Amino acid sequence: MALLVRVLRNGISISQCFPVCGRLVPVSVMPGQWGRALSGTSQLSTTKDFPQPVEEKVGPFTKIIEAMGFTGPLKYSKWKIKIAALRMYTSCVEKTDFEEFFLRCQMPDTFNSWFLITLLHVWMCLVRMKQEGRSGKYMCRIIVHFMWEDVEQRGRVMGVNSYILKKNMILMTNNFYAAILGYDEGILSDDHGLAAALWRTFFNQKCEDPRQLELLVEYVRKQMQYLDSMNGEDLLLTGEVNWRPLVEKNPQSVLKPSSPIYNDEGL
């Protein structure tokens, strides 16, 4: 909670949340046999199947102050959204089974692998919250801020030299925003497009087993469908996300989640 206290006391600089994005990695052609392996995921809904959010109407004063780089009035107070954003990011790092990803995707148990898995889940949260108008977009900025705070803190705990950590943070920032653009393009495409984005970013172009790609494509489609079924108001107020497992023991268990209980007593 020390991170939350520091944010509530000092506020968050927007310039810290959105550094300049690096260049995208060129798209590579996927081997033909991978396309056949991905055909089994077509039964899951794609993002294009869900209704697009309606642009929120704002007054001229709000447009002016937001054009100046400030955040105008939101549907809920900013401190409530910050708390929900912290909870949502915490869900990405504490409710994800990293060991299962390491095992099934044959990833080394390293800081870089942790970051790639976290990045994927943070991106899915950003896609969902951008559908909630200006409040959701504000929450996205706070989630990204918390992510970089956590990455920097973990690097210091691991004893990484401050100069090397700073250089790595710049590189990871560029990779993050390049990955976001690639994933956005993939989720709006078919399974082949999403598989290409995952192969370039998540697997760093080193996946030799098409079954791993098939598993990840199905996982992302499943999670996005699950997140879209959650009530936007609940997400803005609680930020609670319980991720589906990488491999479902019972496929019929992917049901609409129950609404969480929001209680801000004592906050």
Side-chain angles (χ1 to χ4, degrees):
M1 294 298 293
L3 174 61
L4 176 59
V5 172
R6 186 164 70 256
V7 169
L8 295 179
R9 285 181 179 175
N10 303 328
I12 292 179
S13 171
I14 299 302
S15 62
Q16 291 177 317
C17 300
F18 286 94
V20 179
C21 177
R23 295 188 300 109
L24 283 175
V25 178
V27 176
S28 301
V29 180
M30 299 295 294
Q33 64 269 24
W34 287 9
R36 292 191 294 272
L38 295 171
S39 61
T41 63
S42 59
Q43 70 273 18
L44 294 176
S45 301
T46 64
T47 302
K48 293 184 290 185
D49 296 329
F50 296 95
Q52 297 299 315
V54 180
E55 189 67 25
E56 186 176 351
K57 294 182 179 180
V58 296
F61 177 74
T62 301
K63 291 181 179 180
I64 292 175
I65 62 176
E66 291 189 345
M68 297 172 61
F70 300 97
T71 302
L74 301 174
K75 188 173 184 179
Y76 302 107
S77 64
K78 293 180 182 179
W79 67 268
K80 286 186 178 180
I81 296 178
K82 289 178 182 179
I83 293 173
L86 178 57
R87 288 172 176 162
M88 183 166 288
Y89 174 72
T90 302
S91 298
C92 293
V93 295
E94 292 188 357
K95 296 184 178 181
T96 301
D97 192 344
F98 289 90
E99 294 295 333
E100 187 174 20
F101 275 91
F102 295 155
L103 176 63
R104 294 188 178 275
C105 298
Q106 297 181 357
M107 305 174 72
D109 187 356
T110 63
F111 181 78
N112 185 61
S113 296
W114 171 88
F115 179 72
L116 289 173
I117 298 170
T118 301
L119 186 158
L120 180 64
H121 289 80
V122 167
W123 164 73
M124 288 190 284
C125 289
L126 299 182
V127 172
R128 177 61 183 89
M129 297 317 300
K130 285 178 182 178
Q131 301 178 36
E132 299 304 319
R134 293 169 54 254
S135 297
K137 292 177 181 179
Y138 176 76
M139 186 172 177
C140 288
R141 296 202 296 269
I142 310 302
I143 292 173
V144 172
H145 175 84
F146 283 134
M147 183 192 71
W148 292 125
E149 284 276 335
D150 187 32
V151 168
E152 184 175 5
Q153 184 176 1
R154 288 173 185 265
R156 290 174 178 172
V157 170
M158 294 173 63
V160 180
N161 178 273
S162 59
Y163 176 74
I164 297 178
L165 179 60
K166 183 177 181 180
K167 290 184 61 177
N168 288 341
M169 288 287 292
I170 295 175
L171 179 62
M172 293 171 72
T173 298
N174 292 335
N175 291 339
F176 173 78
Y177 286 101
I180 291 296
L181 293 177
Y183 284 154
D184 282 347
E185 182 181 3
I187 197 67
L188 293 173
S189 180
D190 56 15
D191 286 347
H192 299 82
L194 179 57
L198 290 167
W199 180 73
R200 291 193 305 269
T201 302
F202 191 88
F203 290 104
N204 196 25
Q205 305 183 23
K206 295 179 181 178
C207 180
E208 301 293 338
D209 189 348
R211 293 172 298 181
Q212 295 176 2
L213 262 179
E214 180 183 13
L215 179 64
L216 258 294
V217 169
E218 183 177 356
Y219 178 77
V220 171
R221 295 291 189 196
K222 172 180 63 179
Q223 296 293 6
M224 294 307 305
Q225 185 176 13
Y226 184 73
L227 288 172
D228 281 326
S229 70
M230 301 181 71
N231 183 273
E233 303 292 322
D234 294 334
L235 290 173
L236 281 172
L237 288 174
T238 68
E240 295 288 344
V241 176
N242 294 306
W243 300 101
R244 305 300 309 177
L246 183 58
V247 177
E248 294 284 349
K249 296 181 179 179
N250 178 16
Q252 299 299 323
S253 64
V254 186
L255 302 174
K256 185 174 181 179
S258 58
S259 299
I261 300 176
Y262 175 70
N263 180 16
D264 62 352
E265 183 178 356
L267 295 178

